[in-house]
Amino acid sequence: MASSLFIFFLTSLSNFLPLSVLSATVLEDLATLTPPPDFTTTITTNCLHNPLLRYCNNTSSSSPMNITEIFRSTIVPGHLCNESKNPNCIDSFPKIRIHGRPKTAALYLSFNFFWKYCPLTVVEIQLVNNSLKSEFPTNVLSCAQIRTLDLSYNQLSGSVPVQSLSRLTSLTHLNLSYNRFLEEKISDSEFFNRFNASSFIHSGLLPDVKRNKMRVLVLLIVFPIVVILLCCCLGWLCLKRPDYLRRTCRRSHKLTSAMLDAATDEFSDQRLVSKGNGVDIYRGTLRDGREAKIEVYTEKVSKEKRREFEEECEAVLKLRHKNLVKVLGWCNSRNLRALVTEWTNGENVETWLSSSLASSWRRRLRVVMGVVEGVCYLWEQWPEITFDLNTSSVLLSDDDQEPLISQFKIGDGNSSSTNIFNFGLFLLEMITNLKPNEEQEDSATRYLEYIRVHCPDNVERVVDEKMKIEERTLEKVKEAIALGLMCTDGSPLKQPSFTQIYDMVVSLYESSSRHH
Ligand SMILES: *[C@@H]1O[C@H](CO)[C@@H](O)[C@H](O)[C@H]1NC(C)=O
Ligand SMILES: *[C@@H]1O[C@H](CO)[C@@H](O)[C@H](O)[C@H]1NC(C)=O
Ligand SMILES: *[C@@H]1O[C@H](CO)[C@@H](O)[C@H](O)[C@H]1NC(C)=O
Ligand SMILES: *[C@@H]1O[C@H](CO)[C@@H](O)[C@H](O)[C@H]1NC(C)=O
Ligand SMILES: *[C@@H]1O[C@H](CO)[C@@H](O)[C@H](O)[C@H]1NC(C)=O
Ligand SMILES: *[C@@H]1O[C@H](CO)[C@@H](O)[C@H](O)[C@H]1NC(C)=O
Ligand SMILES: *[C@@H]1O[C@H](CO)[C@@H](O)[C@H](O)[C@H]1NC(C)=O
């Protein structure tokens, strides 16, 4: 029995380290023990008294002496002293001091058997600076008799079994400094009241004052700085590049000059589409990927005018009609006034008129029809918004060749008489593919005079040759020219109203579809 215990002792030990290391360490410690003077008599008396004691069967084993040695230094002293009831029994054995042996410290700790029967002779456990990397060695708690426990300068981690430590009633010196334990509320435990903070320096157990100071520092200084920086960034974004913010966070249609700068590569020449008449037109790409036409008004205006411009932009933004180009937003900063509308790849009506697509009377009427619809919508719903109507400002949409009125005159106060006049010119141009020569003075008057001369008797002279007109539509073309001339009449009183124009164009358009 005893021998099997010994073998267990050895095999469990050899699980951790080769035996050669063992003989030089634990057993060496044990071997240096010398039995107290009354050792043999005590054992004999005990065995006589109680033969069932483990150490009594030494004869049946093959190497009784070594077993005796083991027991002498481990279990036997405990047993003996338990039995002897002699209060000085333990002290009569030489003490094992487990310290100053960095190489063997881990062995002692990992050797469960040793600790389980922690020799009562062990009174001091000093495992300072031993690179121990485990959790708190709870087996140490079996050595209830120890007076010193110094585990400082290791890398012990995890939590310390605060409650169980109170089993170490004899402990007078405790040092857990310089480890990596988890923070514990050890101040609540009565056991730890016996020790002061110098037992737990940098152990992780106590809240780290320095680290707390750092935290306070971070909270008081760094955090506000970060918040201020964030606010600055956000403020900058709001002011300069609101298109980087979420849609809900920004005033959706008011664009900043930085946004337009980015959309047009800082108004580069490659992006410039046309220039002149106080308006530079750029083709830009907004951050959400939409292509946009950006009309930049180069004229410097007063603060009052800028305010009006903004009001008008807000109004124009609300326009929703299939024959009006869609306004995406505007910019009204000190150094940049611009209106941003949807980009259409389609050509303008002026170029379209010279193409073969414009050879049908019906198709031309359809464009006029769309323009009239757009104009009437503006006139009825948004009388305050004026527009620049001519064949170059009306675009054709990419997909269905729907005309789009694209230039809204802002801050220009056109009267409806002017608008009707311009529509008249537009209509005549749609029929004749001729327009007033802008370089000449009085060009519009001359142009109208020219048409009047040939109308209605020599209409063929003025009608665009490309347009194939049958006999029966000629009457309608004449009607249309008459309407155009009426609109361009010098006296506003003789001009038809938008309602009348609308009705006439509708009837022209309908008659043209009947012929088809
Ligand atoms: C000791 O040996 C005797 C007989 O050999 C046996 O009866 C007894 O149980 C043994 N005691 C122990 C503690 O093993
Ligand atoms: C152990 O055996 C030896 C002889 O082999 C004997 O002298 C001694 O008394 C024995 N010890 C015990 C405790 O029985
Ligand atoms: C204990 O065993 C070792 C070998 O393991 C041996 O050298 C030694 O003599 C033994 N001790 C006694 C007292 O028999
Ligand atoms: C000593 O006796 C106590 C109870 O009296 C017991 O719990 C303890 O295990 C004994 N120690 C040894 C080493 O046998
Ligand atoms: C721990 O031991 C190493 C060498 O083993 C030594 O360099 C170091 O100074 C020791 N640290 C302390 C705090 O004793
Ligand atoms: C802490 O206790 C140790 C003894 O355990 C003592 O030497 C030291 O002076 C104490 N320190 C304080 C600050 O009380
Ligand atoms: C624990 O160890 C550290 C480091 O060696 C030392 O500064 C401290 O005074 C010790 N504490 C006690 C209570 O001995």
Side-chain angles (χ1 to χ4, degrees):
M1 173 64 199
S3 94
S4 70
L5 257 181
F6 179 52
I7 285 162
F8 171 65
F9 189 105
L10 288 183
T11 46
S12 42
L13 187 60
S14 61
N15 284 340
F16 301 96
L17 280 178
L19 276 173
S20 59
V21 178
L22 169 77
S23 60
T25 56
V26 182
L27 289 188
E28 199 180 63
D29 280 340
L30 302 179
T32 59
L33 281 179
T34 49
D38 59 346
F39 175 70
T40 322
T41 48
T42 314
I43 283 188
T44 315
T45 328
N46 283 347
C47 288
L48 282 175
H49 189 66
N50 182 6
L52 290 176
L53 286 172
R54 276 181 287 179
Y55 54 81
C56 296
N57 272 5
N58 76 9
T59 44
S60 58
S61 112
S62 52
S63 56
M65 294 311 289
N66 277 345
I67 300 163
T68 311
E69 273 187 35
I70 301 297
F71 277 104
R72 201 200 297 162
S73 53
T74 58
I75 299 159
V76 173
H79 261 285
L80 288 181
C81 297
N82 258 10
E83 305 278 329
S84 77
K85 308 262 185 316
N86 172 1
N88 299 320
C89 169
I90 291 296
D91 286 331
S92 62
F93 287 89
K95 302 293 173 284
I96 299 177
R97 293 177 179 268
I98 305 180
H99 69 95
R101 293 167 187 270
K103 281 185 186 158
T104 58
L107 173 69
Y108 278 108
L109 285 182
S110 61
F111 191 23
N112 284 338
F113 183 82
F114 178 82
W115 290 113
K116 193 170 171 188
Y117 295 95
C118 179
L120 291 175
T121 48
V122 173
V123 291
E124 223 176 72
I125 299 180
Q126 289 196 13
L127 298 168
V128 185
N129 197 8
N130 273 297
S131 314
L132 302 176
K133 287 199 175 97
S134 61
E135 301 221 318
F136 183 88
T138 43
N139 288 324
V140 163
L141 297 174
S142 308
C143 303
Q145 76 283 358
I146 56 169
R147 296 167 200 161
T148 294
L149 179 61
D150 193 338
L151 298 175
S152 58
Y153 289 108
N154 282 299
Q155 288 147 41
L156 299 171
S157 57
S159 55
V160 171
V162 172
Q163 296 309 318
S164 319
L165 270 167
S166 49
R167 265 189 245 160
L168 308 180
T169 47
S170 315
L171 203 65
T172 53
H173 176 82
L174 174 71
N175 203 340
L176 300 179
S177 302
Y178 300 98
N179 276 295
R180 298 168 184 177
F181 293 117
L182 296 177
E183 203 175 298
E184 299 267 359
K185 288 191 171 169
I186 57 172
S187 50
D188 294 353
S189 156
E190 215 162 272
F191 171 77
F192 285 103
N193 287 344
R194 300 182 349 221
F195 309 96
N196 59 34
S198 77
S199 298
F200 313 106
I201 304 165
H202 290 286
S203 62
L205 284 166
L206 299 177
D208 193 328
V209 181
K210 242 189 192 167
R211 212 168 56 203
N212 281 355
K213 267 191 189 159
M214 282 299 289
R215 277 187 198 150
V216 169
L217 213 72
V218 164
L219 273 178
L220 285 184
I221 297 172
V222 179
F223 183 69
I225 287 177
V226 167
V227 167
I228 289 170
L229 281 179
L230 271 179
C231 285
C232 287
C233 283
L234 209 69
W236 182 85
L237 275 179
C238 278
L239 282 177
K240 295 281 184 180
R241 294 304 304 271
D243 49 341
Y244 274 98
L245 301 175
R246 287 165 146 273
R247 201 168 268 275
T248 46
C249 304
R250 59 181 199 234
R251 289 166 65 194
S252 52
H253 300 290
K254 193 161 178 182
L255 312 174
T256 64
S257 50
M259 282 162 78
L260 296 188
D261 257 359
T264 57
D265 304 332
E266 307 195 332
F267 296 102
S268 69
D269 286 346
Q270 284 98 320
R271 296 291 198 147
L272 187 65
V273 179
S274 74
K275 208 172 170 68
N277 214 1
V279 185
D280 292 351
I281 296 179
Y282 288 88
R283 176 180 184 166
T285 312
L286 299 182
R287 211 180 86 83
D288 56 13
R290 285 183 297 179
E291 293 270 314
K293 187 172 104 180
I294 300 170
E295 292 172 36
V296 179
Y297 304 104
T298 48
E299 192 194 346
K300 287 259 175 287
V301 294
S302 65
K303 213 170 173 188
E304 178 66 15
K305 281 264 183 203
R306 270 182 54 201
R307 205 180 48 75
E308 281 172 19
F309 172 76
E310 178 138 358
E311 277 170 16
E312 280 150 359
C313 286
E314 302 240 20
V316 162
L317 197 68
K318 293 177 195 143
L319 301 180
R320 291 281 175 276
H321 193 273
K322 69 176 169 51
N323 295 114
L324 302 182
V325 111
K326 205 164 148 201
V327 176
L328 301 178
W330 76 90
C331 171
N332 187 19
S333 67
R334 199 171 305 152
N335 46 12
L336 183 70
R337 271 187 318 135
L339 185 69
V340 180
T341 55
E342 205 172 48
W343 181 265
T344 43
N345 282 321
E347 53 200 345
N348 62 30
V349 172
E350 190 178 12
T351 21
W352 178 76
L353 277 178
S354 328
S355 75
S356 58
L357 287 170
S359 61
S360 129
W361 167 235
R362 184 178 149 71
R363 285 187 99 151
R364 292 197 187 193
L365 263 184
R366 198 182 144 206
V367 171
V368 174
M369 186 73 221
V371 168
V372 169
E373 281 178 25
V375 165
C376 283
Y377 166 82
L378 280 174
W379 175 69
E380 281 169 13
Q381 315 253 345
W382 305 97
E384 70 271 26
I385 295 174
T386 59
F387 44 88
D388 190 7
L389 186 65
N390 60 56
T391 45
S392 59
S393 74
V394 175
L395 306 173
L396 293 172
S397 68
D398 305 345
D399 34 14
D400 47 8
Q401 301 272 298
E402 193 70 54
L404 296 167
I405 298 172
S406 76
Q407 277 177 24
F408 305 103
K409 279 272 182 153
I410 287 164
D412 195 46
N414 266 0
S415 67
S416 83
S417 160
T418 318
N419 285 337
I420 292 174
F421 181 90
N422 284 343
F423 172 74
L425 279 185
F426 178 83
L427 178 59
L428 291 175
E429 203 182 324
M430 290 298 289
I431 301 165
T432 61
N433 192 16
L434 294 172
K435 66 192 298 182
N437 185 347
E438 274 160 20
E439 278 156 33
Q440 276 180 9
E441 234 178 282
D442 263 1
S443 58
T445 325
R446 285 167 185 231
Y447 171 76
L448 292 171
E449 201 51 50
Y450 170 74
I451 293 175
R452 273 201 192 95
V453 163
H454 295 290
C455 224
D457 302 329
N458 287 321
V459 158
E460 297 87 342
R461 298 277 300 275
V462 290
V463 170
D464 186 5
E465 286 170 1
K466 272 207 307 312
M467 195 161 60
K468 296 174 191 72
I469 302 176
E470 296 159 39
E471 200 59 35
R472 57 191 174 188
T473 49
L474 191 60
E475 279 310 305
K476 296 294 165 191
V477 174
K478 281 181 186 170
E479 272 178 42
I481 293 179
L483 174 61
L485 289 174
M486 242 192 318
C487 293
T488 49
D489 195 289
S491 93
L493 287 175
K494 289 190 190 162
Q495 284 180 329
S497 71
F498 272 121
T499 330
Q500 289 166 325
I501 294 173
Y502 181 79
D503 292 343
M504 283 188 244
V505 172
V506 167
S507 105
L508 282 173
Y509 185 61
E510 280 174 355
S511 70
S512 81
S513 40
R514 269 202 299 280
H515 290 305
H516 265 258

